[in-house]
């Protein structure tokens, strides 16, 4: 995790510095994992929110976030960070909760499984479409001055609601 998510960024930035690629624009895809757990009473995160990651992945991405800022400030490179919340698409891997749900419910629907096992159904997530997030990343690179931005839909829904939405799409009655 640290080699790829943290030091990988440093190696690219250092190559840019070594080769004097001043015209190159660098975008670092970061994660909402930088923020760690939601603080009671806080309804959303922004670019100025406290960053207290709770996983090795979050910590390595925090390093990547800060080293990107350092190369912007210290060497004058056009570097920016996008702090992405959950972004979904049909290409999403099967280990992600949305794919676990859609795949599991489809398998139940076709009689291949009897149930799926889920964790906290009341966990809230900000889910957006990956296509929209990539467009925001592109817009960040079109600006005159590099800045860091949170990229999110701004809407939180529970895992339970997502399951209910998927069930409704399958034509399942909630009361049956």
């Amino acid at each position: 995790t640290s080699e790829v998510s943290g030091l990988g960024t440093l190696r690219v930035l250092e190559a840019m510095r070594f080769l004097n690629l001043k015209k190159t624009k660098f975008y670092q895809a970061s994660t909402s994992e930088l923020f760690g757990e939601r603080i009671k009473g806080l309804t959303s995160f922004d670019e100025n929110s406290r960053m207290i990651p709770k996983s090795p992945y979050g910590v390595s991405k925090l390093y990547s976030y800060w080293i990107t800022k350092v190369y912007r400030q210290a060497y004058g490179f056009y570097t920016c960070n996008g702090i992405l919340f959950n972004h979904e698409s049909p290409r999403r891997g099967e280990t992600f909760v949305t794919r676990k749900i859609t795949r599991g419910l489809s398998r139940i629907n076709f009689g291949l499984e009897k149930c799926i096992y889920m964790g906290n159904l009341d966990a809230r997530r900000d889910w957006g479409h990956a296509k929209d997030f990539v467009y925001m990343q592109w817009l960040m690179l079109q600006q005159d001055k590099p800045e860091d931005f949170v990229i999110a839909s701004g809407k939180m829904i529970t895992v339970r609601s997502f399951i209910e939405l998927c069930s409704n799409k399958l034509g399942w009655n909630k009361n049956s």
Side-chain angles (χ1 to χ4, degrees), residues 13-83:
L13 291 168
E14 190 57 17
M16 287 172 56
R17 188 184 69 80
F18 181 77
L19 296 170
N20 198 30
L21 300 176
K22 287 289 189 178
K23 292 182 181 178
T24 300
K25 291 184 176 183
F26 179 83
Y27 171 83
Q28 194 276 130
S30 209
T31 173
S32 59
E33 294 281 323
L34 296 181
F35 301 120
E37 56 195 47
R38 186 169 296 280
I39 298 166
K40 190 174 181 170
L42 184 67
T43 57
S44 65
F45 293 104
D46 63 28
E47 297 80 9
N48 298 309
S49 296
R50 282 190 346 189
M51 296 181 183
I52 307 170
K54 302 288 186 193
S55 68
Y57 173 72
V59 170
S60 65
K61 291 302 268 186
L62 185 60
Y63 175 83
S64 190
Y65 171 86
W66 277 106
I67 202 67
T68 298
K69 288 176 84 76
V70 165
Y71 273 70
R72 177 171 65 218
Q73 295 164 353
Y75 301 112
F77 282 107
Y78 190 108
T79 63
C80 54
N81 291 291
I83 303 169

